[in-house]
Amino acid sequence: MSLLAGKIGVVFGVANKRSIAWAIAQAWHKAGAQLAFTYQGERLKENVEELVGAFGPDTLLMPCDVTRDEDIERVFAELGQKFGRLDLLLHSVAFAPKDALEGQFVNTSREAFRVSHDVSAYSLVALARGAAPLMKDGGSIVAMSYYGAEKVIPHYNVMGVAKASLEASARYLAYDLGSRKIRVNCISAGPMNTLAARGIAGFLDMMKHYEARSPLKRNVQPDELGATGAFLASDGAAAITGQVLYVDCGYQIMGM
Ligand code: 0WE
């Protein structure tokens, strides 16, 4: 089924094959979208080059550090040159300094707070502003969030505060861009075994906790995030904007 036939999309946040961005990109591609990708830093270049090669040798792949306005400008200029338009944007980018995810939130430094919010939340605003002029027939912007935005998850700390900012930013962007038929939504995913989760103390216990407590008694699979991403990108979601969709096997509804 070609839910997204003829759509052009850009994906921020692929690091490797386990990335949530990769799962959603695959679903968008299978639904018929033509995609461009960005990667963060030389370290990830080869990895991402190899992955996106699967979508054809002429797949547009651009470096982009989302904390640099000039990088963002260049990415949208290149997208404009190659396609002249844009329909879909995926934001799957987050960072907090490792020590900020280990100690107590009360000890978050000014710099750790600033960087976390710059990379993980402000970047959505900057990317939406860059994308909007290319979204001439409207568009769909999807950003990844996590439950730590609304409830305390021990050690998630400043990332939770940044995700709260991301979700609020999505609402304000949805309001601003709504008259241009550009929708902005968040997917709040249950914990996934990605590069971003690797090395986080107690992460496997957290996966077990979701398995035990979520109504569906299991964890989320990458292709299920892909399917929700494809839905949000599609006309089936034409009246959905500013929302946070929980793709977490129901965990978020539980009170105990
Ligand atoms: O959003 C995230 C993680 C994002 C993340 C991960 C890292 C690890 C390496 C942001 N910055 C960094 N910085 C690093 O140096 N998740 C939803 C996954 C996650 O991370 C946690 C979690 C969960 C869930 C951290 C503590 C507690 C729970």
Side-chain angles (χ1 to χ4, degrees), residues 29 114 150 239 256:
H29 174 79
R114 186 196 66 74
E150 65 168 281
M256 206 186 141

Side-chain angles (χ1 to χ4, degrees), residues 94-96 98 101 146 153-156 159 163 191 196 200 203 206:
F95 176 78
K98 191 159 176 60
L101 299 175
Y146 177 62
I153 304 291
H155 306 301
Y156 198 59
M159 265 314 305
K163 288 298 192 187
I200 287 161
F203 195 79
M206 175 173 270

Side-chain angles (χ1 to χ4, degrees), residues 1-53:
M1 203 178 43
S2 288
L3 218 54
L4 304 178
K7 304 274 190 204
I8 310 284
V10 60
V11 174
F12 294 80
V14 176
N16 61 33
K17 66 178 194 306
R18 276 147 95 128
S19 297
I20 290 172
W22 183 239
I24 293 176
Q26 280 178 295
W28 281 3
H29 174 79
K30 279 184 191 147
Q34 186 172 355
L35 299 180
F37 294 83
T38 71
Y39 62 92
Q40 191 268 316
E42 283 301 310
R43 203 170 39 90
L44 295 173
K45 182 179 183 183
E46 262 187 56
N47 236 336
V48 182
E49 250 171 10
E50 202 177 305
L51 279 176
V52 308

Side-chain angles (χ1 to χ4, degrees), residues 148-211:
E150 65 168 281
K151 289 283 159 69
V152 172
I153 304 291
H155 306 301
Y156 198 59
N157 295 359
V158 71
M159 265 314 305
V161 181
K163 288 298 192 187
S165 171
L166 177 80
E167 291 181 4
S169 298
R171 289 188 283 272
Y172 279 89
L173 291 168
Y175 172 68
D176 280 357
L177 303 178
S179 59
R180 291 144 82 172
K181 282 181 40 182
I182 299 170
R183 300 179 292 102
V184 187
N185 293 290
C186 295
I187 295 175
S188 185
M192 309 287 297
N193 199 0
T194 68
L195 182 63
R198 190 185 300 164
I200 287 161
F203 195 79
L204 288 179
D205 289 335
M206 175 173 270
M207 306 268 302
K208 286 203 191 102
H209 177 84
Y210 269 71
E211 242 176 73

